Amino acid sequence: FGGNENPGASTKTEEYNGSGWSAGGALGTGRLSISGFGIQTAAVGMGGRTTPSGQVDTTEEYNGSSWTAGGALSTARRYLSGAGTLTSGLAFAGTTGGAPGAGTPQTVTEEYNGTSWTGGGALGTARQRGCGTGASQTAAICFGGSVPPVTGNTEIYDGSSWSEQSNMNSGKASGMGFGISTSAVSTGGETSTASYTATTETWDGTSWASNPATIATGNQAMAGQGSSTAGIIAGGWKPAPVGNTAQEWNSTANI
């Protein structure tokens, strides 16, 4: 949902059923650099920007067919990350102010209960364009992003505070991640200005390992969701043109 239609902030939502995409309900407010969490019938979209230099505190909730207004973020920001469920979610990191790619990276964490946001523990490393994933607001992971420069810093949230973990093998910003705090996947992203990677790393709860699987081409700013054994990524911005490619991740103990 949302994103950059080049030009313009999109209100579009698309739903995936395992083989193809179909149109869903439109966002009330079109936004670039938006983040979210949840499942297809109970999702949250928050933050982002509607203009080149602005950011919003707007939150919307999706019920499987349409979006409705949710509680506003306390700190309006873009390039933020999210994790959890509609009634137990997190928004963290991001940036405020300035032109795209600029602004002030944030350590701010907010917790969502399905109605409103409240303050949570601050990240140890301020960042924007990082990855976030996790099952709930008591078990989430944040990795990568831009400080600047790009970082491989990894932190785990336990419901009240963040703790430093082993860094990724390669720092990157605007990559894609999915999974849970003890088993996650990271792929793609920007490793330096206008340099994009196709590499993948996997997290086992203790450390990151380089994985031989690569995406079709180096890319950044993709959307995605899933587990460490079955996930999907879609779209992206390399930086131009915007893409409509979707790729699936499948992993077993042997493959």
Side-chain angles (χ1 to χ4, degrees):
F1 46 89
N4 189 340
E5 287 194 87
N6 193 27
S10 179
T11 62
K12 291 178 180 175
T13 299
E14 295 191 43
E15 302 174 359
Y16 193 65
N17 64 5
S19 60
W21 295 91
S22 60
L27 282 162
T29 302
R31 284 169 276 170
L32 302 79
S33 311
I34 188 175
S35 187
F37 51 81
I39 60 174
Q40 189 180 94
T41 56
V44 174
M46 71 281 184
R49 61 185 176 94
T50 55
T51 63
S53 60
Q55 54 278 319
V56 297
D57 59 9
T58 307
T59 298
E60 297 185 46
E61 301 177 2
Y62 195 65
N63 63 7
S65 59
S66 60
W67 292 93
T68 56
L73 287 162
S74 299
T75 302
R77 57 206 139 127
R78 61 185 188 273
Y79 297 130
L80 69 167
S81 303
T85 67
L86 189 151
T87 57
S88 178
L90 289 174
F92 44 92
T95 185
T96 60
T104 304
Q106 299 290 301
T107 62
V108 175
T109 299
E110 297 185 48
E111 302 177 354
Y112 196 63
N113 62 7
T115 303
S116 59
W117 295 94
T118 56
L123 280 160
T125 298
R127 72 192 82 189
Q128 59 174 307
R129 299 197 293 145
C131 284
T133 189
S136 72
Q137 68 184 211
T138 61
I141 183 171
C142 175
F143 48 91
S146 175
V147 176
V150 297
T151 182
N153 178 271
T154 301
E155 300 184 46
I156 294 285
Y157 194 66
D158 63 4
S160 59
S161 61
W162 293 93
S163 58
E164 297 279 347
Q165 308 292 316
S166 299
N167 285 356
M168 302 176 73
N169 292 289
S170 298
K172 53 187 175 180
S174 297
M176 186 60 239
F178 46 82
I180 58 176
S181 62
T182 56
S183 183
V185 176
S186 170
T187 194
E190 184 178 42
T191 55
S192 61
T193 302
S195 179
Y196 311 105
T197 183
T199 60
T200 299
E201 295 188 37
T202 52
W203 169 257
D204 64 4
T206 303
S207 61
W208 291 96
S210 297
N211 191 284
T214 58
I215 55 177
T217 185
N219 205 346
Q220 66 161 338
M222 300 165 286
Q225 185 66 285
S227 71
S228 61
T229 58
I232 185 168
I233 59 172
W237 175 254
K238 194 187 168 182
V242 293
N244 66 350
T245 302
Q247 299 177 63
E248 296 179 355
W249 164 266
N250 297 282
S251 174
T252 69
N254 297 323
I255 301 174

